[in-house]
Amino acid sequence: MRLVVLVAALTVLTGGPAVAQASGPLEDTSSVEANGHRIIQLSVEVPAPPSEVWSALTTSEGWRRLGVSFAQVDFRTGGMIETGYAPGAAAGAAGNIRNQIVAYVPGRMLAIRNVQAPPGFPHAAEFAETATVMELDPVGEDRTRVTLTATGFAPGPAFDTLYGFFLRGNGQTLEMLRDSFAAE
């Protein structure tokens, strides 16, 4: 269960009801580079304007909307997105997930890298070698295409496990983001 929770916080969120298929299915355009490194690339259309989706990805309130018990966002390059799923989670708790903001383009792109996984998370060192980029593209006035791209999944057993886990989990995350807006 803790692993599913990590997926949610690392990339924007986990599980959730299949409410909004009218908003479009999840699209998987994942690929493999010439050097054997795998790229997870998933997209979904969210029934909300880019400004609202951006807020969900860059504010403490937005992360709480996506099912975390605790969220604290220090939104700046080098800042942190810290989330916790345990009841009563608080800043600095050992079980929290911390993602460093690597770069962003306001309202359009957010790049993060995990710097703290929960204790016991398998292959945490290898996971720290990956990065996740979330891109927002307007689709009409009140819709946004969100594309999540995760890179750095090298060949080998540890990365095989991580790739499979995050391919499923990131898909659930995007569906939850979509469904959280569709439910409004």
Side-chain angles (χ1 to χ4, degrees):
M1 180 67 168
R2 177 172 264 169
L3 296 180
V4 171
V5 166
L6 178 61
V7 169
L10 292 174
T11 67
V12 250
L13 338 150
T14 178
V19 172
Q21 286 304 315
S23 296
L26 184 68
E27 182 180 348
D28 183 350
T29 55
S30 300
S31 60
V32 179
E33 296 180 274
N35 65 2
H37 288 226
R38 288 154 293 177
I39 297 171
I40 295 171
Q41 187 165 61
L42 304 168
S43 300
V44 71
E45 196 171 299
V46 176
S51 61
E52 291 180 25
V53 177
W54 183 252
S55 182
L57 299 176
T58 61
T59 67
S60 302
E61 297 78 22
W63 282 85
R64 284 192 290 273
R65 167 192 184 114
L66 296 167
V68 299
S69 298
F70 167 80
Q72 182 174 320
V73 177
D74 174 13
F75 192 77
R76 60 185 172 83
T77 301
M80 291 290 168
I81 299 171
E82 181 175 358
T83 56
Y85 287 80
N96 286 356
I97 300 158
R98 292 173 47 98
N99 288 294
Q100 184 173 42
I101 299 166
V102 176
Y104 66 93
V105 175
R108 296 184 46 215
M109 185 277 296
L110 172 63
I112 60 175
R113 176 170 288 217
N114 183 261
V115 296
Q116 178 181 309
F121 181 76
H123 312 299
E126 289 85 355
F127 183 55
E129 295 177 27
T130 69
T132 300
V133 176
M134 291 163 275
E135 297 172 276
L136 283 61
D137 293 304
V139 181
E141 286 185 33
D142 294 326
R143 303 186 78 69
T144 305
R145 182 166 189 77
V146 179
T147 301
L148 184 150
T149 305
T151 63
F153 295 92
F159 286 107
D160 292 346
T161 299
L162 290 167
Y163 180 86
F165 177 74
F166 283 104
L167 181 64
R168 286 183 306 279
N170 288 347
Q172 291 174 336
T173 290
L174 288 175
E175 289 172 335
M176 184 172 184
L177 177 66
R178 177 198 62 209
D179 295 349
S180 75
F181 284 100
E184 292 183 345

